[in-house]
Amino acid sequence: MRTKAVPHLIVLAAAWLGGMTFALAQSPSSGYPTKVVKILSPYSSGAGPSVFMHIMGDKLSKAWGQQVIVDSRPGASGFIAIEAVKNAAPDGHELLVVSNAHVAINPALYKKLPYDPDKDFVPVGMIYHTPFFITVKTDGPYPTVRALIAAAKADPGKLTYGAPYIGSPSHLGGADFALRIGAKMVVVPYKDQAQIYASIANGDLDWLLSTLGSALPLLKAGRIKLIAIAARERSKSAPDVPTVREVGGPAGFEVGSWLAVLAPRGTPQELVRRINADVNRQLADPEVLERLKILGFEPSPGTPEQLAAEIRRDAKTYGDLVRLTGATAD
């Protein structure tokens, strides 16, 4: 009886193993990607985040053996790029890069948001953190933070500061700065981030809260300059620039941002972790680290869970700031 049962058991085992092999072959991350991967960016092509994502895209393209395209779709507070990925197939071939502005600030700023960060997307991983700098025209009337504050207090409502859109860290940070020094200033939103820097250089705007990466082209040209960093400590990428506190500005004034990757809701967790691991691997590449340093970005590899936790923390922090400053976008 036992001898006769052996062939039957072999057939069952073979069927089970064959089924397992088929399941492995059908794993969502096995063979990924199978076609061009598109990473949508809500920033203009010349902005720091998009510039860096092109570098990251090239690295991922080599790692994946498929072309990776970084598609810049600026405007509408990031809605254009975000909605495009929101409606994409959850197969990892369309991804989205966003900042804290898009997923932590906008929900507090807009009564009607055309997307839900929690319901429409899944966190993939953090890419970098970056502080903001007070940026002015090189030969303009405000060579120092003290001069900027004095002018704002002397003529309330006259000074203007730029922002890529209402609700961006540049906007809320500027509103917070004005609140802390007790002076009224006017925010001027721009559709194209590159135009903000041209306006600073031309003297059409008085100041701006900017990342080093986005300011770099006109900094190198000598047309704009950084007079202080809105952080607790000086930046390793710009060690000669003092903190706001060091040069007589309000203590505790800090403005920062980060860039992270999201995927459409429904993307399998196994695939999310595969992409996360590949992104983290590129963030350890010496060439990538050097580019991050030049742009003033701090690499921040981590898990999807860590990104989710940071989004929740920032949503609380910026939600409080939106209420405190009375900022609105509706």
Side-chain angles (χ1 to χ4, degrees), residues 18-44:
M20 187 171 75
T21 301
F22 177 78
L24 288 172
Q26 297 302 307
S27 169
S29 66
S30 62
Y32 170 86
T34 59
K35 57 183 179 180
V36 172
V37 175
K38 186 180 291 186
I39 302 177
L40 271 70
S41 167
Y43 300 95
S44 60

Side-chain angles (χ1 to χ4, degrees), residues 14 16 48 79 83 92 96 101 146 152 156 162 168 172 183 200 280 293 303 319:
W16 180 77
F79 296 173
E83 286 194 89
L96 174 71
R146 285 189 176 90
S168 63
L172 289 181
I200 291 289
N280 287 344
K293 183 179 179 181
T303 66

Side-chain angles (χ1 to χ4, degrees), residues 2-301:
R2 290 179 182 176
T3 303
K4 291 181 180 179
V6 169
H8 178 64
L9 290 174
I10 291 174
V11 170
L12 286 175
W16 180 77
L17 287 170
M20 187 171 75
T21 301
F22 177 78
L24 288 172
Q26 297 302 307
S27 169
S29 66
S30 62
Y32 170 86
T34 59
K35 57 183 179 180
V36 172
V37 175
K38 186 180 291 186
I39 302 177
L40 271 70
S41 167
Y43 300 95
S44 60
S45 57
S50 288
V51 170
F52 177 73
M53 283 312 301
H54 279 287
I55 298 167
M56 180 65 80
D58 289 342
K59 291 290 183 179
L60 289 172
S61 179
K62 292 175 183 176
W64 287 340
Q66 288 283 355
Q67 186 180 11
V68 176
I69 297 174
V70 178
D71 185 357
S72 292
R73 298 191 190 181
S77 299
F79 296 173
I80 297 171
I82 294 170
E83 286 194 89
V85 179
K86 166 188 169 181
N87 298 315
D91 59 7
H93 289 92
E94 283 196 47
L95 303 170
L96 174 71
V97 287
V98 294
S99 73
N100 47 359
H102 304 111
V103 294
I105 298 176
N106 280 355
L109 202 68
Y110 290 86
K111 293 178 181 177
K112 293 183 179 180
L113 201 61
Y115 61 92
D116 186 316
D118 293 325
K119 294 180 180 179
D120 294 331
F121 299 97
V122 292
V124 175
M126 187 71 75
I127 296 178
Y128 64 70
H129 285 76
T130 183
F132 279 71
F133 295 80
I134 293 181
T135 307
V136 297
K137 178 178 171 64
T138 299
D139 56 354
Y142 314 113
T144 65
V145 170
R146 285 189 176 90
L148 187 68
I149 293 174
K153 288 184 175 182
D155 200 346
K158 180 183 178 182
L159 265 66
T160 57
Y161 64 96
Y165 52 86
I166 296 299
S168 63
S170 297
H171 166 221
L172 289 181
D176 186 30
F177 185 79
L179 194 66
R180 287 172 181 266
I181 66 172
K184 183 180 179 182
M185 299 190 205
V186 178
V187 61
V188 181
Y190 282 71
K191 290 183 179 180
D192 186 345
Q193 190 169 350
Q195 293 177 356
I196 306 177
Y197 296 92
S199 293
I200 291 289
N202 294 333
D204 298 325
L205 277 177
D206 293 312
W207 68 286
L208 166 73
L209 277 166
S210 162
T211 63
L212 177 60
S214 293
L216 207 53
L218 286 180
L219 278 174
K220 288 182 175 180
R223 299 186 64 197
I224 62 176
K225 68 177 182 178
L226 312 176
I227 58 174
I229 181 174
R232 295 181 184 180
E233 300 176 350
R234 296 190 181 199
S235 168
K236 294 178 182 178
S237 299
D240 294 335
V241 181
T243 66
V244 170
R245 178 183 55 79
E246 285 181 90
V247 289
F253 178 64
E254 298 175 28
V255 184
S257 184
W258 45 255
L259 195 74
V261 180
L262 304 183
R265 175 63 61 181
T267 303
Q269 271 301 304
E270 182 185 345
L271 181 53
V272 167
R273 295 196 180 282
R274 158 72 191 279
I275 299 171
N276 171 271
D278 289 339
V279 168
N280 287 344
R281 195 171 295 114
Q282 306 316 311
L283 289 174
D285 182 284
E287 183 182 348
V288 171
L289 290 173
E290 181 61 25
R291 293 297 298 175
L292 283 166
K293 183 179 179 181
I294 291 172
L295 292 168
F297 301 153
E298 187 69 30
S300 304

